[in-house]
Amino acid sequence: MATSAKPNRALFDLDLLRAIVTVADCGSFTTASAHLHSTQSTVSQKIRRLEDMAGHPLLVRGNRDVRPTDQGERLLAYARRMLSLNDEMLDALAGAAVAVTVRLGVPEDFVVGRTPQLLASFNRRHPDLKLEVTTGLSRDLAQGYDHGELDLVIVKQRRNSREAVARWQEKLVWIDSAKNPAVDQEPLPLVAFPPRGLYREEMIKAVEGRGRSWRIAFTSSSLFGVQSAVAGGLGVSLIPARAVTAEHVVLTRRQGLPPIGTMDIALLHRPTADPLVKELAAELGRMLQRYRG
């Protein structure tokens, strides 16, 4: 258990310590008084108060200069450290007061490629910025934004479902395994995001609209999980065209799967957002241009 400072012990005043350090550095009460914007008598009083607290003479007053005693040298070493710590604390607190925290939410599949490089570069240009990045499903990110837990989000949503600072169309495609296709299986195995996840309802409605039976063969909350499950032959899925890999084949009407309307990639922040939030949003927006469908 931590103990508090011993009672009734003297506490050295930083103002007094600054006075003796200035006198020692200047070697003169007159010059030190000018540096401290004070009178010589006031500075002398501060030194006497320090000497009373220390119980020792701290300065030797010569005809032309002022020099510290041995005890004065010892006190000066501590005084400089204490003043330095005080300045360091003030700088730290001043920095904390002006620092801006930006809470950014991005879908899991955007935390690869250029996004981390963009965020790192932005942080280097704004060293006082505290950037907190959260990844997850778009529905969770949108909820966090609505609850005030996030300042800036990239979300994938159904076309024009909510207002956004900017939005881009994202083309969706059906995919199957290149090595172990599952499209001819009955019922059709689907690889999907969790319930209420994007694309899941669109897949089911499209398959039922063609009169085919289906089953959920694999569920994953991450795009990588969906990509891997399809590549392994567990089922077919619906994903952004930009996420198709060499392990997939794109399915068309010829396989009995209709095209699905594009979705939106939306960028959201509040009108009253901090200028740094708006600046980061603009940079993310330029990056997202390449995702247009």
Side-chain angles (χ1 to χ4, degrees):
M1 177 178 175
T3 57
S4 59
K6 294 181 180 179
N8 302 322
R9 297 197 71 179
L11 296 176
F12 283 93
D13 188 328
L14 292 178
D15 186 50
L16 304 184
L17 296 178
R18 194 176 297 280
I20 193 171
V21 168
T22 306
V23 171
D25 289 345
C26 294
S28 162
F29 276 88
T30 303
T31 307
S33 300
H35 278 278
L36 295 169
H37 306 288
S38 182
T39 64
Q40 186 171 336
S41 62
T42 298
V43 175
S44 295
Q45 289 174 13
K46 291 178 179 180
I47 301 303
R48 282 196 293 271
R49 286 172 59 189
L50 271 177
E51 290 178 330
D52 289 342
M53 293 179 68
H56 301 282
L58 300 174
L59 296 175
V60 177
R61 296 156 178 84
N63 293 330
R64 293 186 176 182
D65 61 3
V66 178
R67 294 177 290 104
T69 64
D70 290 344
Q71 293 297 333
E73 290 282 9
R74 180 174 297 177
L75 181 138
L76 281 166
Y78 285 106
R80 296 184 195 280
R81 287 163 56 188
M82 291 172 68
L83 291 169
S84 176
L85 282 172
N86 180 74
D87 291 343
E88 182 180 326
M89 179 176 66
L90 289 173
D91 290 342
L93 292 175
V98 300
V100 175
T101 298
V102 176
R103 300 166 301 173
L104 170 66
V106 295
E108 175 256 351
D109 50 305
F110 281 97
V111 194
V112 293
R114 295 178 55 195
T115 306
Q117 299 172 11
L118 183 152
L119 297 178
S121 175
F122 191 83
N123 229 158
R124 284 193 296 271
R125 295 198 307 276
H126 301 282
D128 290 335
L129 171 69
K130 181 180 179 184
L131 185 60
E132 298 178 356
V133 183
T134 299
T135 64
L137 294 175
S138 288
R139 70 177 189 220
D140 297 328
L141 298 176
Q143 186 177 48
Y145 175 78
D146 291 337
H147 290 172
E149 298 166 1
L150 296 170
D151 305 304
L152 172 64
V153 293
I154 299 172
V155 293
K156 292 180 279 188
Q157 62 182 22
R158 292 176 177 85
R159 295 291 306 280
N160 302 316
S161 59
R162 68 182 295 166
E163 291 297 322
V165 173
R167 60 166 52 92
W168 298 265
Q169 294 182 10
E170 180 168 62
K171 182 180 179 182
L172 301 178
V173 295
W174 292 94
I175 60 167
D176 198 355
S177 171
K179 291 184 177 180
N180 301 291
V183 68
D184 293 328
Q185 294 182 28
E186 288 292 342
L188 179 65
L190 300 179
V191 176
F193 287 97
R196 296 191 300 114
L198 287 175
Y199 320 148
R200 184 182 177 114
E201 291 183 13
E202 283 74 12
M203 280 198 299
I204 294 172
K205 287 180 181 178
V207 172
E208 289 182 342
R210 289 303 175 99
R212 291 194 63 176
S213 60
W214 56 272
R215 64 183 177 87
I216 298 296
F218 188 91
T219 298
S220 175
S221 60
S222 74
L223 178 61
F224 177 76
V226 170
Q227 290 170 311
S228 299
V230 172
L234 287 174
V236 304
S237 191
L238 187 68
I239 66 170
R242 61 183 170 82
V244 176
T245 74
E247 298 178 292
H248 303 140
V249 291
V250 176
L251 303 175
T252 65
R253 289 182 184 273
R254 292 168 56 185
Q255 287 82 31
L257 295 173
I260 302 296
T262 56
M263 303 286 281
D264 277 349
I265 299 174
L267 192 62
L268 311 177
H269 70 65
R270 297 168 185 83
T272 56
D274 185 272
L276 278 179
V277 172
K278 295 180 179 180
E279 183 182 342
L280 178 57
E283 293 201 18
L284 288 169
R286 287 191 288 273
M287 182 192 74
L288 290 170
Q289 289 285 351
R290 68 190 180 99
Y291 294 135
R292 283 187 175 182

